[in-house]
Amino acid sequence: MTTTDSPTTTTTAQGDIRTGDTMDTASDTATALTAPTAPSAQHATTARTAPDGERMRRWRMVLGADSAEATGCTLTGQDVAMDGALEALYGGGGKKPGGRGGGGRSAGLGASAPSVARWLGDIRTYFPSSVVQVMQRDAIDRLGLSALLLEPEMLEAVEADVHLVGTLLSLNKAMPETPKETARAVVRKVVEDLEKRLESRTKATLTGALDRSARISRPRHRDIDWDRTIRANLKNYLTLPGADGEPDTGTVVPERLIGYGRASQSVKKDVILCIDQSGSMAASVVYASVFGAVLASMRTLATRLVVFDTAVVDLTDQLDDPVDVLFGTQLGGGTDINRALAYCQSQISRPADTVVVLISDLYEGGIRDEMLKRVAAMKASGVQFVTLLALSDEGAPAYDHEHAAALGALGAPAFACTPDLFPDIMAAAIEKRPLPIPDREAQP
């Protein structure tokens, strides 16, 4: 076996070239199976400490069937089935399903839903859930299996996650009714899992922020915030001499009372979520739809959800069911942020009590200068404007750095936000505090 010094390719004895991305995924997958206590970042350490036989076994799993002679390792038992599952996806240079070439063995799961469904069942048997999701994404991307997701039996076999939901939404308009119902069930399962994970903390965090933002100076006794009232009146501390030899005592004279507003009385803040539905924002669309439904369930918030590409669609009336919101989107297409912000601006009736959240990679196909003028006008009127490059666990996507810098100069810094951080971002915006931007020094 010969290897190059290049970090991006490896050449096996059979002349099969595998890209760096493929090797990384296959290596991580094999390591997750063969050495669950040793993360992929520690491959080198694992290789030095593992016995020679185990080390060769791992290399054989990573490099594929063509390396059997070079590694001197013959797989047995469950390893054979694991290797077959990896070979079907990562062998043969990632040819299309059913592809053949050069008389050698090639990758391919077969261009039919039953064979892919069996393969999906196999990888769930041999690999942990996190690895299964990676392999599913690779199968869809490398082998062109998106069309098979239109088959009900295929949908029933997949491991549901946010990325799969994004793929299903991109195929939404091409789906016949039968697989669409199965797809809705898959999407609903993912959405319900996300709601369980995110709802309670989001409501608790924002309820506290809304209470704090509604402090009043003449509260009823039961609405007094005693901690803040005492701190605000410490300058009025008086020392009272003790009677009959008793020690002196002190008291605070509360000239100014600070209290909470009553949370259930009325809507306190308006929230507008403005979501870019271009193809690169799929995961953000999923999370934003779930958060939109959670926010809409809070009586003290008036929540509006708007999605856009080159057109603008208001999905507010569907917020009681985030699955309906997701199937109301249409991933892909161009982007006109200016048009979307113009619509959002027209919906603002209480600027000082409004939070606008733009979720976009900022690649503007509309009028850039007009977009920036709208943001500046909204901020000048008192609107709290938040720009998120992404709302997902994937970090910052590719984005327009020039537009991000221009928004930052207007006091609306653009940054990527994880779902776990989003409630804190919203709480800060509601209270008009500085946003807790992650890695502030790395932001544009």
Side-chain angles (χ1 to χ4, degrees), residues 104-394:
R105 182 179 178 185
S106 65
L109 302 177
S112 69
S115 63
V116 176
R118 285 193 296 272
W119 177 80
L120 288 166
D122 289 342
I123 65 174
R124 284 207 304 272
T125 299
Y126 305 130
F127 297 87
S129 178
S130 59
V131 175
V132 169
Q133 292 172 6
V134 171
M135 294 179 73
Q136 283 180 176
R137 293 200 297 273
D138 285 349
I140 291 169
D141 294 341
R142 287 173 49 77
L143 302 181
L145 299 181
S146 295
L148 290 181
L149 291 175
L150 302 179
E151 300 287 342
E153 60 188 349
M154 173 73 168
L155 287 173
E156 292 168 358
V158 293
E159 184 85 13
D161 68 348
V162 169
H163 303 282
L164 177 64
V165 170
T167 302
L168 291 175
L169 295 179
S170 69
L171 299 171
N172 178 26
K173 303 305 178 185
M175 279 189 185
E177 284 305 313
T178 299
K180 183 173 286 189
E181 289 305 310
T182 307
R184 287 183 70 91
V186 172
V187 172
R188 187 168 298 281
K189 179 180 182 302
V190 174
V191 166
E192 288 175 351
D193 289 344
L194 291 176
E195 284 184 309
K196 289 177 184 177
R197 169 188 160 192
L198 301 170
E199 183 174 16
S200 59
R201 180 172 178 271
T202 300
K203 286 187 174 181
T205 301
L206 297 192
T207 297
L210 288 164
D211 285 345
R212 289 188 293 271
S213 70
R215 290 193 184 99
I216 53 180
S217 59
R218 298 182 62 185
R220 300 180 183 184
H221 183 271
R222 63 183 177 182
D223 294 329
I224 295 174
D225 181 345
W226 287 109
D227 181 61
R228 287 184 172 270
T229 295
I230 291 172
R231 279 187 285 162
N233 289 280
L234 286 176
K235 61 183 181 180
N236 301 321
Y237 181 84
L238 298 177
T239 300
L240 303 176
D244 300 327
E246 293 292 326
D248 293 347
T249 59
T251 187
V252 173
V253 179
E255 290 183 349
R256 184 166 66 95
L257 298 178
I258 300 175
Y260 299 122
R262 300 184 66 183
S264 61
Q265 282 189 331
S266 62
V267 172
K268 296 177 181 176
K269 296 289 182 180
D270 298 334
V271 175
I272 301 176
L273 300 179
C274 185
I275 308 165
D276 183 345
Q277 61 177 350
S278 57
S280 60
M281 302 297 293
S284 297
V285 170
V286 176
Y287 280 112
S289 298
V290 172
F291 276 117
V294 172
L295 298 181
S297 69
M298 301 179 65
R299 289 181 296 177
T300 49
L301 291 177
T303 302
R304 183 172 294 276
L305 188 141
V306 176
V307 298
F308 68 92
D309 41 35
T310 53
V312 180
V313 180
D314 192 326
L315 297 176
T316 302
D317 59 350
Q318 299 179 36
L319 276 175
D320 58 332
D321 187 347
V323 176
D324 286 342
V325 171
L326 289 171
F327 276 90
T329 64
Q330 185 172 349
L331 295 180
T335 307
D336 192 338
I337 302 173
N338 177 55
R339 174 178 289 186
L341 291 181
Y343 176 80
C344 293
Q345 192 175 23
S346 71
Q347 301 301 306
I348 297 173
S349 59
R350 305 187 304 159
D353 293 314
T354 299
V355 178
V356 174
V357 183
L358 172 65
I359 304 174
S360 172
D361 55 17
L362 301 180
Y363 287 110
E364 170 65 320
I367 306 173
R368 174 186 184 274
D369 290 342
E370 287 296 317
M371 174 189 76
L372 296 176
K373 287 179 181 178
R374 291 190 190 282
V375 174
M378 282 189 274
K379 287 189 64 64
S381 68
V383 171
Q384 296 297 300
F385 194 92
V386 179
T387 310
L388 301 182
L389 300 171
L391 177 55
S392 71
D393 290 313
E394 300 174 343

